[in-house]
Amino acid sequence: MRTTAELTRLELKLFIRDPMTVLFSLALPVIVLLILGGVFGNEPGELDTGGPVYRGVGAMDYYVPAYVALVVVSVCLISVPAHLAGNRERGVLRRYHASSITAWQVAMAELGVAIVISAVSVVVLLVTATIVYDFVGPWSIPIVLLGFVTSTLAFSTLGVLLGAVLPTARSAQALGMLLWFVMLFLGGAGPPPEVLTDAMRAISTATPMWHAVRVMQHGWLELDPDGSWLILLAIVAIGAPLAVRAFRWE
Amino acid sequence: MATRVGPRVALDVRHLRKCYGSVVAVEDVSFGVRQGEIFGILGPNGSGKTTTVECLQGLRRADAGEIDVLGLDPRTEAGRLRQRIGAQLQESALPDRIKVWEALHFFSSLAPGGPDWRDVMERWDLGGLRNRAFSTLSGGQQQRLLVALAVVNGPELVFLDEMTTGLDPSSRRVVWQLVRDLRDQGTTVVMVTHFMDEAEHLCDRIAVIHGGRVAALGTTAELIAEFAGRSEVTFSTDLADIDFVRHVDGVATVEQDGTRVIVRGTGPVLARVAAALVAHGDAPIDLEIRRGSLEDAFLAITGDGSAT
Ligand SMILES: Nc1ncnc2c1ncn2[C@@H]1O[C@H](COP(=O)(O)OP(=O)(O)O)[C@@H](O)[C@H]1O
Ligand SMILES: [Mg+2]
């Protein structure tokens, strides 16, 4: 526990010292918010066929909780794997290993860093959104917080899994980016789900991000989460032991 | 688990074997390290030194063999073992942006009960660099920090793998002295090196590893006596016939190249050759002896050159 806390503190300090990573983590969701918000406004939409878009709520009401999920996904899939793989490549993990730090402790420290950075990034996002747009406040703050933590758990599990198996920082970054892009467009924080083709929708619902968006919209907008909570928890339950088993120190 | 722990044995390894796929890195290595000694592992590149010590630290899993380190088996008790040993790995690094003091503080916080990290920082002459980020240190400074981290947890046994790589000659001397101080305070040191002078200056005993096996083991003096016992006496002379030198006690060969003569032999060969020369009316002013060095012994053991 003490080791995990010390390692988290250290990794957090080091993260903050890397200006590009910090800028990226904080600016990216804000940029997405301003661009997509500018495009879609906050009117509830209607399809040509007559059905509602944005699950029947205003565009901004739909997107704000979705962007909270996007923040988590960005931090966990872009920063975490590249950071882990980079530490492996340079021999930092070997150094940790020799000092009896375990794979669980490394994974927990990555989770800790992801939670703190995501939380700060979410605050920046919400402050910007509040200044620029009108949107409804959260329906249930506890459920929103729970959704945030559950999503971060699930995505940092995926991030550690990627970082655990990919050999180099470059490959980890490339794959993380690729997944992030797919999820940006199909995960529910890009085009509203109602305008996607059936094939796209099938991919959408298969992306973990879709479920993070649903969970956040559950707490924020009181929309039906279906099985999304369970799916995120399953990712943690199955992914975490897998990531720790697959973890390579060099 | 091996149970040959005597009161004075820090480490004992029998028939260690380790392969990487089809590459046999360590074929059959056995040796014991006594508590409180500096034990050297000397060998050419690729002979299996690093693999050996990494198996002993539980960083790699040995394929076969009995290993006992401080009474623990690194294959099943690696976690507990690593609490009690210190490691400077041949290939490792710290995060670019970590500061010197943070690294010492962090690694010492992992092992409560160790020495004060500030003392370690001063002793290893890192105080002046305390706020420098790891990536801004020179190679030698980085190495010094990595060696200091190996002792910041107050280990009973330290593994040092090519610790003076990248150090300039004066830092090497300083680090050698620090390693001796460690030993004098009771820490057992196992050090891998391919530098002869380092092994000769520091190690109480040396195992020479060649092709994944222990080719020789002993003190520097023992290795030299066994593998480079011949001395080489050289001088110049105007004497036309020096055949008498061949009959001097202990002389094995005599080579003559113009006026230059090289005599090889064992025992007090310098005194005897000198006496014979004087008796024959010559007293060369450039009479010199070169005794076998650790390097000669090493070359003889590893078969990379001809021994004198
Ligand atoms: N991780 C590895 N994977 C495959 N082969 C390796 C690995 N590490 C070392 N080897 C090989 O094992 C042999 C012994 O290497 P090593 O133990 O590093 O020797 P030394 O430290 O004496 O230079 C060499 O042939 C080396 O190429
Ligand atoms: Mg080596």
Side-chain angles (χ1 to χ4, degrees):
Chain A
M1 201 55 222
R2 186 187 153 83
T3 301
T4 308
E6 290 287 347
L7 185 59
T8 309
R9 224 166 58 130
L10 177 71
E11 292 285 4
L12 207 53
K13 261 207 239 182
L14 297 174
F15 186 97
I16 292 164
R17 277 187 206 151
D18 187 351
M20 284 319 290
T21 317
V22 172
L23 184 72
F24 179 82
S25 312
L26 297 186
L28 185 86
V30 172
I31 291 169
V32 175
L33 171 85
L34 294 179
I35 293 175
L36 291 191
V39 174
F40 297 111
N42 197 17
E43 296 304 312
E46 196 174 293
L47 293 174
D48 298 342
T49 53
V53 209
Y54 308 123
R55 307 182 77 189
V57 301
M60 246 330 118
D61 300 336
Y62 174 95
Y63 277 119
V64 166
Y67 290 159
V68 172
L70 180 66
V71 165
V72 170
V73 175
S74 311
V75 170
C76 294
L77 286 192
I78 297 175
S79 302
V80 171
H83 178 71
L84 262 185
N87 272 352
R88 172 176 320 100
E89 215 175 348
R90 300 190 47 249
V92 174
L93 292 186
R94 276 168 62 77
R95 181 59 263 176
Y96 288 170
H97 188 37
S99 294
S100 59
I101 292 174
T102 64
W104 275 110
Q105 288 167 336
V106 172
M108 290 303 286
E110 292 298 328
L111 169 68
V113 172
I115 288 201
V116 173
I117 302 300
S118 302
V120 172
S121 186
V122 165
V123 169
V124 172
L125 173 85
L126 293 181
V127 168
T128 317
T130 310
I131 295 168
V132 183
Y133 302 108
D134 270 343
F135 61 95
V136 296
W139 159 64
S140 160
I141 289 177
I143 298 182
V144 164
L145 288 177
L146 199 64
F148 170 76
V149 171
T150 309
S151 301
T152 313
L153 263 169
F155 277 89
S156 58
T157 298
L158 293 175
V160 171
L161 190 59
L162 284 181
V165 296
L166 292 172
T168 63
R170 285 170 72 100
S171 59
Q173 189 133 35
L175 187 58
M177 274 291 196
L178 186 71
L179 290 174
W180 183 82
F181 264 109
V182 171
M183 294 204 218
L184 174 64
F185 289 114
L186 297 177
E194 294 84 353
V195 306
L196 299 178
T197 64
D198 285 345
M200 285 179 179
R201 188 102 47 95
I203 300 173
S204 272
T205 52
T207 63
M209 171 146 172
W210 173 270
H211 302 286
V213 169
R214 294 266 143 167
V215 159
M216 293 313 303
Q217 290 176 340
H218 174 213
W220 206 288
L221 304 167
E222 210 185 342
L223 291 176
D224 186 0
D226 299 314
S228 290
W229 286 94
L230 283 179
I231 288 173
L232 292 184
L233 290 173
I235 290 175
V236 179
I238 297 168
L242 211 61
V244 170
R245 275 189 76 104
F247 199 88
R248 297 204 333 268
W249 297 96
E250 59 185 67
Chain B
M1 198 183 98
T3 48
R4 42 175 81 240
V5 212
R8 301 270 305 136
V9 173
L11 182 165
D12 193 85
V13 49
R14 298 285 138 196
H15 307 299
L16 173 69
R17 185 181 169 82
K18 173 72 186 174
C19 307
Y20 298 107
S22 62
V23 179
V24 183
V26 174
E27 177 126 22
D28 182 359
V29 161
S30 304
F31 60 82
V33 176
R34 301 177 192 137
Q35 249 175 46
E37 75 174 335
I38 301 181
F39 187 87
I41 298 178
L42 188 64
N45 286 330
S47 55
K49 305 181 296 295
T50 295
T51 306
T52 299
V53 292
E54 289 186 352
C55 288
L56 298 179
Q57 296 169 73
L59 292 170
R60 294 188 190 284
R61 204 184 158 77
D63 295 334
E66 293 161 39
I67 313 172
D68 177 324
V69 183
L70 300 175
L72 300 170
D73 184 340
R75 277 171 293 196
T76 53
E77 297 163 298
R80 279 171 60 199
L81 177 61
R82 283 192 214 108
Q83 302 277 349
R84 294 172 55 193
I85 62 177
Q88 173 259 316
L89 307 173
Q90 189 176 9
E91 275 164 29
S92 77
L94 295 174
D96 279 339
R97 289 185 169 79
I98 196 169
K99 292 177 183 163
V100 168
W101 76 266
E102 285 171 341
L104 288 157
H105 173 253
F106 172 68
F107 286 102
S108 108
S109 76
L110 301 182
D116 189 328
W117 61 269
R118 293 171 200 84
D119 293 343
V120 176
M121 182 167 76
E122 293 312 325
R123 208 171 328 127
W124 290 78
D125 199 19
L126 292 160
L129 303 169
R130 55 175 297 146
N131 285 316
R132 293 268 299 276
F134 184 72
S135 63
T136 69
L137 300 176
S138 73
Q141 290 166 336
Q142 291 186 345
Q143 189 72 2
R144 194 140 42 88
L145 175 57
L146 290 170
V147 178
L149 291 180
V151 301
V152 80
N153 59 337
E156 296 161 52
L157 169 63
V158 186
F159 291 92
L160 303 171
D161 194 347
E162 311 271 0
M163 64 167 172
T164 56
T165 302
L167 297 187
D168 59 41
S170 67
S171 324
R172 281 181 85 202
R173 301 272 160 176
V174 172
V175 168
W176 287 354
Q177 189 52 49
L178 288 163
V179 171
R180 270 191 223 107
D181 293 348
L182 268 182
R183 187 250 332 255
D184 295 344
Q185 288 153 23
T187 309
T188 308
V189 179
V190 174
M191 50 173 284
V192 168
T193 185
H194 64 257
F195 295 117
M196 301 298 149
D197 54 345
E198 188 160 295
E200 198 160 355
H201 277 91
L202 275 183
C203 299
D204 299 310
R205 291 190 308 140
I206 297 167
V208 179
I209 298 201
H210 183 49
R213 293 171 175 275
V214 176
L217 199 157
T219 63
T220 301
E222 286 166 356
L223 293 179
I224 292 173
E226 187 174 348
F227 296 97
R230 281 188 179 179
S231 308
E232 197 174 270
V233 172
T234 57
F235 56 91
S236 307
T237 180
D238 295 328
L239 293 175
D241 179 11
I242 55 154
D243 218 37
F244 64 89
V245 177
R246 286 182 212 282
H247 304 299
V248 171
D249 255 6
V251 168
T253 65
V254 177
E255 249 176 67
Q256 193 168 12
D257 181 11
T259 58
R260 190 99 191 123
V261 181
I262 303 175
V263 179
R264 295 195 179 87
T266 50
V269 67
L270 177 67
R272 286 178 176 152
V273 168
L277 284 168
V278 171
H280 284 78
D282 193 12
I285 53 163
D286 62 349
L287 187 67
E288 269 181 356
I289 186 165
R290 200 176 75 80
R291 260 186 232 97
S293 65
L294 183 59
E295 182 157 9
D296 297 323
F298 179 77
L299 294 177
I301 294 163
T302 57
D304 288 352
S306 55
T308 51

